[in-house]
Amino acid sequence: MSLLLDQVTLTYPDGDGRVTALDSVSLAVPPGTLTAVVGPSGSGKSSLLAVAATLVTPDRGRVVVAGTDTGTLDRAGRAALRRTRIGIVFQQPNLLPSLTAAEQLVVMAHLSGGSGSGRGSRGAARARALELLDAVGLADQAGRRPHQLSGGQRQRVNIARALMNDPAVLLVDEPTSALDHERGAAVLDLLVMLTRARSTATVLVTHDRAHLDRVDRTVTVMDGRLSEPRPRPLRL
Ligand code: ADP
Ligand code: MG
């Protein structure tokens, strides 16, 4: 199992008391599968991703990423795990305005350090960036800067960037919210395809219930509790 949440409870301070954002949530996501998380605003969807991303430490429960119990890691250990094993796609692409699409990805390889900054590794990072841009359908846009790309294209760069370090876990928060229906469907198809091709354990938070027949599993979050509304139909 590439991602495992086991009885995770997360609360935030709220005035004199605390608000429960996640209430004993358990979720297992195998590699090469995509789980969609739906639910009303404020139900805990982003909190679930933040915990899975090790950006927030839960009050109780275990978060296991690619075999590592994140509760055993210190701050630096969690940051290293994020750089090497976790890809995160936020709602807003947050691309750097002055960089080309390819450079947005190459920067990620430098941030993760590792194999040095010699000519060879720089060339390898650039080759990987171009390969990923090709995988998201942007091979001919590699030299463009964000203002020269459409909203959908920027979101594709965002997704390609999250895959730069070959993550085991891919966490995606409402990637289609700023896109029209058709472009939203294309991004969902792309995420399903990449999940299979790169064997990521993907969790996708979405408002958009359309097209969810394409994903492996859909769970609903309501008041911080996870449920699976109806069992998956048997494929005969
Ligand atoms: P969703 O993504 O489904 O809209 P969130 O996970 O953002 O929901 O929020 C779940 C609950 O936790 C909400 O009640 C929200 O107000 C609260 N919450 C989220 N983040 C914080 C925070 N940083 N501080 C305090 N409360 C928060
Ligand atoms: Mg949210």
Side-chain angles (χ1 to χ4, degrees):
M1 210 55 62
S2 292
L3 174 65
L4 185 67
L5 304 191
D6 180 23
Q7 301 269 309
V8 168
T9 293
L10 171 70
T11 67
Y12 293 110
D14 180 34
D16 291 338
R18 306 198 57 96
V19 56
T20 300
L22 296 174
D23 187 359
S24 238
V25 165
S26 295
L27 180 69
V29 187
T33 70
L34 190 153
T35 296
V37 178
V38 298
S41 178
S43 60
K45 303 183 300 297
S46 293
S47 297
L48 190 155
L49 284 194
V51 162
T54 77
L55 292 167
V56 175
T57 302
D59 303 47
R60 284 191 298 281
R62 278 192 319 145
V63 177
V64 183
V65 173
T68 300
D69 183 342
T70 63
T72 66
L73 301 174
D74 61 8
R75 199 187 180 83
R78 288 192 301 272
L81 188 75
R82 277 197 299 278
R83 281 196 307 269
T84 55
R85 309 306 283 136
I86 303 175
I88 307 176
V89 178
F90 290 113
Q91 208 162 337
Q92 297 303 325
N94 290 321
L95 300 176
L96 298 163
S98 62
L99 299 188
T100 66
E103 288 163 353
Q104 313 276 350
L105 273 61
V106 169
V107 161
M108 293 303 289
H110 293 318
L111 289 181
S112 74
S115 46
S117 54
R119 240 167 201 282
S121 71
R122 205 177 299 180
R126 175 139 187 106
R128 178 157 177 81
L130 295 177
E131 185 251 322
L132 280 167
L133 287 173
D134 186 30
V136 300
L138 292 178
D140 50 359
Q141 316 286 325
R144 297 206 168 188
R145 294 175 213 286
H147 74 273
Q148 298 169 308
L149 299 169
S150 71
Q153 289 173 332
R154 284 199 287 270
Q155 196 53 279
R156 282 164 187 270
V157 174
N158 196 16
I159 291 166
R161 182 175 58 176
L163 292 169
M164 192 60 190
N165 297 324
D166 200 18
V169 173
L170 181 63
L171 305 169
V172 191
D173 200 353
E174 307 215 23
T176 62
S177 57
L179 304 178
D180 63 38
H181 194 71
E182 206 168 309
R183 279 173 227 282
V187 166
L188 185 61
D189 278 342
L190 176 66
L191 285 170
V192 170
M193 184 273 282
L194 292 169
T195 295
R196 307 265 188 266
R198 316 255 155 192
S199 295
T200 55
T202 304
V203 181
L204 164 71
V205 164
T206 181
H207 257 99
D208 190 1
R209 282 169 172 278
H211 319 299
L212 285 185
D213 51 322
R214 297 165 209 212
V215 311
D216 297 293
R217 186 182 178 196
T218 301
V219 296
T220 303
V221 184
M222 199 75 84
D223 294 331
R225 298 196 70 102
L226 206 104
S227 64
E228 213 157 353
R230 47 206 146 83
R232 292 180 56 199
L234 278 176
R235 293 227 177 88
L236 296 174

